[in-house]
Amino acid sequence: DAGVTQSPTHLIKTRGQQVTLRCSPKSGHDTVSWYQQALGQGPQFIFQYYEEEERQRGNFPDRFSGHQFPNYSSELNVNALLLGDSALYLCASSEPGTASSYEQYFGPGTRLTVT
Amino acid sequence: LAKTTQPISMDSYEGQEVNITCSHNNIATNDYITWYQQFPSQGPRFIIQGYKTKVTNEVASLFIPADRKSSTLSLPRVSLSDTAVYYCLAPRNQGGKLIFGQGTELSVKP
């Protein structure tokens, strides 16, 4: 049973560019959350998707947007990249009916470097 | 939202028991205390969750006193592979929005 998968593993972009990160939730999970983790810091909540809609959003600008597909996979898009967007981007999924659960399954993350 | 405070770092040796205490003075009645573990270059992993008294699983034990203003994660007989960052969360139920602090960086030495 595959866990949460994310692609790509690493990515290097230039300031001002746009990036799309992808996530496939753990089999049977329907809720996907995205987090940003800067070096030496804990993960920060970006947003959560359930039933193809954004349910909750953290304190991130509109440059950060997302999407959830009918198969529950998700994308995170970041426009007009800034140097400060360099971080590990984590995707987490949770079981049906437990969207408010504290037990989330995290993927390995995508390391984004903005130069 | 319950703010948590935990030590920035701890050192231990293989075979010892490690106790990491987390303070959450303004925890709400319906808050659960949850702990995650994160290895370098990996996503966090759920370890244990509790509401009061003691919870034990195959990985750790969680001790919560009656006033619930603190909790202690206990790792029995640690090994080098337990070197990781441990996060204490006491989130008011916000629909699955996890709030992470800086965590405790545990270093286990031989």
Side-chain angles (χ1 to χ4, degrees):
Chain A
D1 176 27
V4 178
T5 59
Q6 294 186 243
S7 63
T9 306
H10 296 85
L11 202 53
I12 300 175
K13 289 286 189 178
T14 304
R15 258 183 314 177
Q17 286 188 317
Q18 178 264 343
V19 69
T20 297
L21 310 181
R22 296 176 176 81
C23 170
S24 290
K26 182 176 168 65
S27 178
H29 288 189
D30 63 357
T31 302
V32 173
S33 302
W34 287 92
Y35 295 80
Q36 179 195 65
Q37 186 173 25
L39 205 58
Q41 304 296 317
Q44 302 298 304
F45 177 81
I46 302 175
F47 41 53
Q48 183 185 78
Y49 277 84
Y50 173 67
E51 292 188 339
E52 302 180 48
E53 291 190 1
E54 183 182 291
R55 281 173 42 116
Q56 284 200 90
R57 189 178 183 91
N59 189 25
F60 280 80
D62 292 345
R63 298 187 297 108
F64 289 77
S65 63
H67 188 77
Q68 186 179 34
F69 299 93
N71 66 353
Y72 308 122
S73 66
S74 177
E75 288 182 350
L76 164 66
N77 301 292
V78 187
N79 294 322
L81 285 167
L82 304 174
L83 295 180
D85 295 331
S86 294
L88 181 67
Y89 288 84
L90 296 161
C91 171
S93 69
S94 52
E95 296 179 357
T98 63
S100 60
S101 171
Y102 306 138
E103 183 172 358
Q104 296 184 6
Y105 293 77
F106 283 80
T110 294
R111 171 71 63 187
L112 172 65
T113 302
V114 182
T115 62
Chain B
L1 182 65
K3 177 180 168 59
T4 60
T5 304
Q6 52 184 124
I8 297 293
S9 64
M10 292 182 70
D11 290 331
S12 183
Y13 291 92
E14 281 190 293
Q16 289 187 332
E17 178 184 72
V18 171
N19 296 306
I20 306 174
T21 297
C22 177
S23 170
H24 28 78
N25 290 321
N26 60 336
I27 190 169
T29 303
N30 60 344
D31 280 344
Y32 277 74
I33 296 117
T34 309
W35 286 79
Y36 276 78
Q37 173 193 55
Q38 185 175 25
F39 298 113
S41 301
Q42 294 188 26
R45 180 176 77 113
F46 173 90
I47 301 177
I48 198 166
Q49 177 177 298
Y51 185 79
K52 61 181 178 181
T53 62
K54 177 183 174 182
V55 179
T56 298
N57 62 22
E58 65 278 3
V59 176
S61 294
L62 179 59
F63 298 91
I64 305 167
D67 66 7
R68 303 194 340 112
K69 293 185 182 301
S70 68
S71 60
T72 300
L73 175 73
S74 181
L75 304 173
R77 298 179 298 282
V78 294
S79 64
L80 297 176
S81 63
D82 291 315
T83 293
V85 178
Y86 292 83
Y87 295 98
C88 165
L89 290 75
R92 181 156 301 169
N93 194 323
Q94 295 190 47
K97 174 182 176 180
L98 299 179
I99 307 296
F100 290 85
Q102 271 203 297
T104 296
E105 187 170 4
L106 172 66
S107 177
V108 180
K109 302 174 182 178

